[in-house]
Amino acid sequence: MSSSQAATEAYLAALSGKVAIITGAASGIGKRLAETLSASNLKLLLIDINPAIAHLSAQLPNSAHLTIDLCLPNAFETCLARALDTFGTLDIIVNNAGIANECSLFSQENAQELTRILDLNLKAPMDATRVAVRYFRQAGRPGVVLNTASVGGLMPISLMESYGTTKAALIFFTASCKALAPHVRVNAVAPYFADTPLVANNRLVRSYPLVQQVGLMNPDNVVRTMVRALADQELAGDTLIVAMGAKPEKLTFYDDLTMHVTTYITKGTFNKYAASFNSYFSRALNSILGYLRNPLPVQDTNKND
């Protein structure tokens, strides 16, 4: 067994017995994650709009399912209630459901696809995180939220403006949740394009030069990284980027950017006040010099009226 396999087994052992909600679980990465976690004795509520989720749930022990559109109002409240009714508690939420645009935003006649992508890829996981954090706080128990992002949120890709924007925003949102730790850890994974129905059936992805050059990644690589993001207590507000043949790396982009922007603002503020001080000092100095050059006339007390 390799060191990476041993680490994955250790992470899975740490997760054993926990209760998890997985959205987008009927196929692709969500399905593989569900199968992996089920084999490690986790209790699962599998969420998908696809009725096929019932078939997967029937195959996995200690699992239940809910067929629901996550874009509907209060959808995740419904998911949480189902999990609590079924298992009595909740430890993990995996916001994995998502879609990609089929054509460029600028060739679409209306905002229907844009609205759907924004609602499912960004609004739904943000709202699920909100609901989950409130539950974990009220229940007084620790919890983990995992968001499925994409390298598409790190590399602007022509023709995939909507998809990439939602994934970039999801990475930003994850980073903004860092302060919730250690009580609630929110992490994300940003995988290279994996061989899943969502990717393989999308003509825009298939036509992307990098995909044509190196192909698609095995979804199992993504699942192993997701398991680490769920179990590694050192990760909070972090995004793990993963590609085939490469060791997953923690994205430090926002840490570096925050430092840069903070330095820039601080420097700008200092310069602003320095300029104000210099202006005040210059005015005072000019007044003093003006007085020395042109003193007030001294009254002659000996002058006769």
Side-chain angles (χ1 to χ4, degrees):
M1 180 183 295
S2 67
S3 58
S4 62
Q5 290 174 325
T8 300
E9 291 298 323
Y11 288 138
L12 287 170
L15 298 174
S16 180
K18 295 186 179 297
V19 177
I21 292 176
I22 305 175
T23 70
S27 63
I29 292 172
K31 180 180 179 181
R32 289 294 299 119
L33 179 65
E35 292 168 342
T36 300
L37 296 184
S38 177
S40 295
N41 299 315
L42 275 79
K43 301 173 184 177
L44 307 176
L45 176 61
L46 308 178
I47 308 294
D48 209 291
I49 195 173
N50 187 343
I53 194 65
H55 178 67
L56 176 63
S57 178
Q59 294 178 321
L60 301 180
N62 296 318
S63 70
H65 74 279
L66 180 62
T67 305
I68 190 172
D69 183 353
L70 292 171
C71 296
L72 294 175
N74 304 316
F76 198 78
E77 279 91 343
T78 302
C79 298
L80 175 61
R82 178 62 180 274
L84 296 181
D85 288 343
T86 305
F87 302 114
T89 188
L90 181 65
D91 303 290
I92 295 167
I93 295 91
V94 181
N95 292 314
N96 177 71
I99 54 175
N101 50 294
E102 295 293 336
C103 61
S104 171
L105 172 67
F106 308 111
S107 65
Q108 298 171 20
E109 295 183 355
N110 56 57
Q112 182 175 351
E113 183 179 86
L114 172 61
T115 300
R116 181 72 178 174
I117 290 176
L118 288 171
D119 285 350
L120 185 58
N121 290 12
L122 182 58
K123 184 180 177 181
M126 289 181 69
D127 190 52
T129 304
R130 175 189 66 84
V131 174
V133 170
R134 289 175 59 83
Y135 163 73
F136 291 135
R137 285 175 171 173
Q138 293 170 0
R141 57 186 297 114
V144 183
V145 178
L146 179 61
N147 297 316
T148 301
S150 168
V151 294
L154 301 172
M155 304 184 302
I157 300 176
S158 177
L159 305 181
M160 297 193 70
E161 309 89 359
S162 304
Y163 175 80
T165 298
T166 59
K167 294 304 183 179
L170 193 57
I171 293 170
F172 183 95
F173 172 69
T174 299
S176 73
C177 294
K178 188 179 186 70
L180 295 171
H183 187 66
V184 181
R185 295 187 301 109
V186 181
N187 293 312
V189 293
Y192 169 75
F193 299 109
D195 190 5
T196 66
L198 173 68
V199 172
N201 296 330
N202 188 286
R203 65 178 183 85
L204 296 182
V205 176
R206 294 199 311 270
S207 65
Y208 187 50
L210 185 60
V211 172
Q212 292 183 343
Q213 180 181 355
V214 302
L216 299 175
M217 179 173 58
N218 188 325
D220 289 341
N221 291 0
V222 185
V223 171
R224 285 192 292 269
T225 305
M226 296 175 87
V227 169
R228 176 190 168 189
L230 290 172
D232 190 341
Q233 298 294 319
E234 298 298 318
L235 297 175
D238 293 310
T239 294
L240 296 176
I241 182 171
V242 55
M244 46 193 169
K247 182 179 179 181
E249 292 186 1
K250 185 167 72 171
L251 185 68
T252 61
F253 172 78
Y254 280 117
D255 292 337
D256 298 338
L257 182 61
T258 299
M259 181 64 69
H260 174 78
V261 172
T262 301
T263 302
Y264 171 78
I265 293 173
T266 304
K267 180 180 178 181
T269 303
F270 173 79
N271 289 341
K272 172 185 176 182
Y273 285 108
S276 299
F277 176 79
N278 287 338
S279 176
Y280 173 81
F281 181 76
S282 296
R283 290 197 303 269
L285 182 59
N286 286 334
S287 297
I288 294 172
L289 291 176
Y291 174 78
L292 293 176
R293 293 191 189 103
N294 302 291
L296 294 174
V298 178
Q299 186 178 1
D300 185 358
T301 56
N302 296 319
K303 183 177 178 180
N304 295 323
D305 293 335

